[in-house]
Amino acid sequence: MPELVFFSGTMDCGKSTLALQIGHNRSARGLQGVIFTRDDRAGEGKISSRLGLVTEAVEAAEGMDLYAYLVELLSKGGKADYVIVDEAQFLGPEQIDQLARIVDDLDMDVFAFGITTDFRTKLFPGSQRLIELADRIEQLQVEALCWCGARATHNARTVGGVMVVEGAQVVVGDVNRPAEEIGYEVLCRRHHRRRLTSASAHAGALSPDVLPVNSA
Ligand SMILES: Nc1ncnc2c1ncn2[C@@H]1O[C@H](COP(=O)(O)OP(=O)(O)O)[C@@H](O)[C@H]1O
Ligand SMILES: Cc1cn([C@H]2C[C@H](O)[C@@H](COP(=O)(O)O)O2)c(=O)[nH]c1=O
C-alpha cells in the first residue's frame, strides 16, 4: 500500500540527505520521482544537503496545487512513481491534504521531510497537518546533539548571537552562522527552556561568578 511518510527531526539531523538518498536509490532502479521543496537555503527549486549534494526540485510555491501538478504531469504522458517533499514544514495545510490525496488517489508513496517545531517550540502548520494525516512518522536515526551531549530535540534561533523566542515563524537560515547574522542552533529541551545556547553556556562557564570558590 502506498504511504504518506513524515520524516521529522530537528534542523541539521540529515533529512535532506535522506531525501536525496531515497531518490537516488529509487532512480537507480528506474523509478521516477517528483521532488518538491519550498524555500531551501540553496535557492528556489533546489534541495541541498550539508553533505554537499544539491538536486533540482520543483518549488512548491504558496498556493500551488500539488495534486493537480501530478495529475497534469501524468495526463501529459509524464511518469511519476513516487513523490519527495523537502522543507515540508513550510507547506500550507491544504498542500499536505493534496499529498495525502496523491497517495490515496494516484497510488504513489509520498515521503515528506521537515522540522516539526519552530524556534518557539510551536508546530509549523504544515508539520501539524502531516502529524494529523501521515500513515507513518519516522525519526531520523542519526540524532543531532545539543552542546551538552544530550539528544537535540528543539531548534533555537539566535539574533546577534542571543537566543530569541519572538519573531516571524519563517526565516530561512542555517546553523553555525556568524554571531551577527540570524542563525539557528539545535538544543535539548532543558537548554532550550533555559535559553542556554552553546555560546551562552560557554560565556557562563568563563564568568568569574560561576568559577569555583577557592576555599584556601
Ligand atoms: N563534514 C561532514 N562530515 C560528515 N557528516 C556531515 C558533515 N557535515 C554535515 N554532516 C552530516 O549532515 C547532517 C545534516 O544533513 P542535512 O541533510 O543537511 O540535514 P537537514 O536536512 O536535516 O537539516 C549532519 O547532521 C551530519 O550528520
Ligand atoms: C527553527 C526554524 C527554522 N526555520 C528555517 C531555517 C531553515 O531554512 C529551515 C530548516 O531547514 P533544515 O534543512 O531542516 O536545516 O527552516 C524557520 O524558518 N523558522 C524556524 O523557527
Side-chain angles (χ1 to χ4, degrees):
M1 281 280 271
E3 286 185 311
L4 173 59
V5 188
F6 181 29
F7 292 91
S8 72
T10 59
M11 288 180 68
D12 198 23
C13 71
K15 301 179 301 298
S16 303
T17 306
L18 181 61
L20 294 173
Q21 285 176 315
I22 288 178
H24 175 82
N25 289 355
R26 290 187 168 229
S27 74
R29 290 293 178 220
L31 297 172
Q32 209 155 314
V34 170
I35 304 182
F36 291 114
T37 189
R38 162 97 59 96
D39 289 341
D40 189 282
R41 279 180 303 276
E44 207 177 296
K46 303 240 183 274
I47 292 192
S48 65
S49 129
R50 291 180 183 82
L51 280 180
L53 299 167
V54 185
T55 287
E56 297 296 317
V58 179
E59 184 76 12
E62 192 179 344
M64 176 179 174
D65 186 331
L66 307 181
Y67 176 78
Y69 179 92
L70 261 296
V71 169
E72 192 182 339
L73 177 85
L74 296 172
S75 65
K76 283 183 175 161
K79 188 169 180 281
D81 301 300
Y82 65 94
V83 173
I84 286 175
V85 188
D86 200 20
E87 307 293 355
Q89 73 275 2
F90 292 150
L91 297 191
E94 73 290 348
Q95 290 177 311
I96 306 300
D97 283 69
Q98 292 155 14
L99 296 180
R101 194 168 172 206
I102 291 171
V103 176
D104 297 341
D105 295 0
L106 304 180
D107 280 336
M108 275 178 217
D109 281 318
V110 175
F111 306 107
F113 298 81
I115 53 178
T116 24
T117 54
D118 67 13
F119 69 108
R120 303 161 308 167
T121 71
K122 302 292 180 200
L123 287 169
F124 282 92
S127 309
Q128 178 181 340
R129 196 68 188 131
L130 272 164
I131 292 165
E132 289 163 352
L133 289 184
D135 295 292
R136 231 166 8 106
I137 299 173
E138 296 283 346
Q139 274 197 343
L140 278 275
Q141 289 197 345
V142 182
E143 56 197 21
L145 298 180
C146 178
W147 57 266
C148 69
R151 178 160 184 269
T153 47
H154 291 80
N155 305 295
R157 180 183 290 166
T158 56
V159 178
V162 177
M163 182 173 160
V164 294
V165 288
E166 280 175 18
Q169 185 175 52
V170 177
V171 176
V172 174
D174 205 349
V175 293
N176 300 322
R177 303 309 302 159
E180 58 277 13
E181 292 178 19
I182 293 185
Y184 291 95
E185 180 174 340
V186 294
L187 298 174
C188 65
R189 188 196 56 239
R190 179 173 283 103
H191 290 130
H192 196 284
R193 282 187 46 246
R194 293 177 186 163
R195 299 193 195 175
L196 217 45
T197 61
S198 146
S200 54
H202 214 79
L206 296 175
S207 153
D209 295 343
V210 294
L211 287 177
V213 178
N214 189 347
S215 55

